[in-house]
Amino acid sequence: MISSCVLGNAAKSIVGTRRDEVYVAAVPLRATKGPAQLLMSTAYSFNLWDLQHFMVIINPNSSSLPSQALVYDFQPQDPESIAVAVAALSGRNVPGVVRMRTLKKLPTRKCWFAGYSKSDAIDAANKFNKGWETDLRIKHHDCRNYANGLVEYLTGTKAVLEHLRSSSVGKN
């Protein structure tokens, strides 16, 4: 089941589950300031799928973190470096990093409910991240592979980004 963030919250109240909610979100790729950054923002606004950065959001269903969601993503260590961009676009491996940070609320755009976790999602995500290889290679081992892998690990849903891309849900 894949739906928008708003539908995901409605589904939570209907189902009454105690499991954590898992979402996928897209944001513009980071680039150096100036023309490169403008190009990435424009590509994002035109919904060019291959020029978006994907991340996984866990909305914990616990009283210990009542209003904070956790964002997990995989990106180059220095995403604004021109040298890193050239290396990545030429198909070479670049050093990557798995990041985790908090959000006060879920994004209202380009955010899709991917499912409920099978277990404690934060513990599971941390375990997944420990085994994630951090050499990044565009279209082979990048944020898309990371998002697909983490969502599958957490929810059992396979190829979530491919489902989103082929559905009308992924076009908002």
Side-chain angles (χ1 to χ4, degrees):
M1 175 181 165
I2 300 170
S3 60
S4 73
C5 285
V6 174
L7 292 177
N9 288 333
K12 177 183 174 185
S13 63
I14 293 167
V15 173
T17 184
R18 298 296 306 157
R19 297 178 294 166
D20 300 326
E21 298 170 331
V22 179
Y23 297 85
V24 175
V27 295
L29 286 170
R30 289 176 58 190
T32 56
K33 295 193 185 324
Q37 191 175 52
L38 179 63
L39 176 65
M40 292 300 112
S41 293
T42 302
Y44 174 78
S45 66
F46 283 124
N47 205 30
L48 297 177
W49 193 261
D50 291 331
L51 295 176
Q52 296 181 61
H53 177 67
F54 292 92
M55 55 194 185
V56 176
I57 301 172
I58 297 172
N59 193 22
N61 191 358
S62 74
S63 58
S64 63
L65 296 170
S67 64
Q68 287 192 332
L70 298 173
V71 179
Y72 294 84
D73 70 344
F74 177 57
Q75 67 174 31
Q77 281 182 352
D78 188 1
E80 296 179 10
S81 164
I82 293 173
V84 168
V86 169
L89 291 172
S90 68
R92 294 189 310 221
N93 288 350
V94 297
V97 62
V98 174
R99 301 183 317 157
M100 190 277 295
R101 57 200 184 284
T102 60
L103 282 178
K104 292 192 188 240
K105 62 181 186 170
L106 293 172
T108 57
R109 268 190 88 220
K110 296 192 179 192
C111 178
W112 305 276
F113 177 72
Y116 291 102
S117 62
K118 298 182 288 186
S119 61
D120 181 298
I122 295 168
D123 287 344
N126 291 334
K127 183 178 177 185
F128 178 86
N129 289 341
K130 285 179 185 174
W132 185 257
E133 172 59 48
T134 57
D135 281 340
L136 186 145
R137 187 168 172 214
I138 302 292
K139 295 198 178 202
H140 297 280
H141 191 73
D142 60 18
C143 66
R144 288 159 189 76
N145 305 100
Y146 176 81
N148 277 331
L150 183 54
V151 167
E152 182 177 351
Y153 191 78
L154 296 174
T155 68
T157 302
K158 295 182 183 208
V160 68
L161 294 179
E162 287 73 16
H163 293 294
L164 286 172
R165 188 173 193 174
S166 65
S167 74
S168 60
V169 172
K171 295 178 175 52
N172 70 351

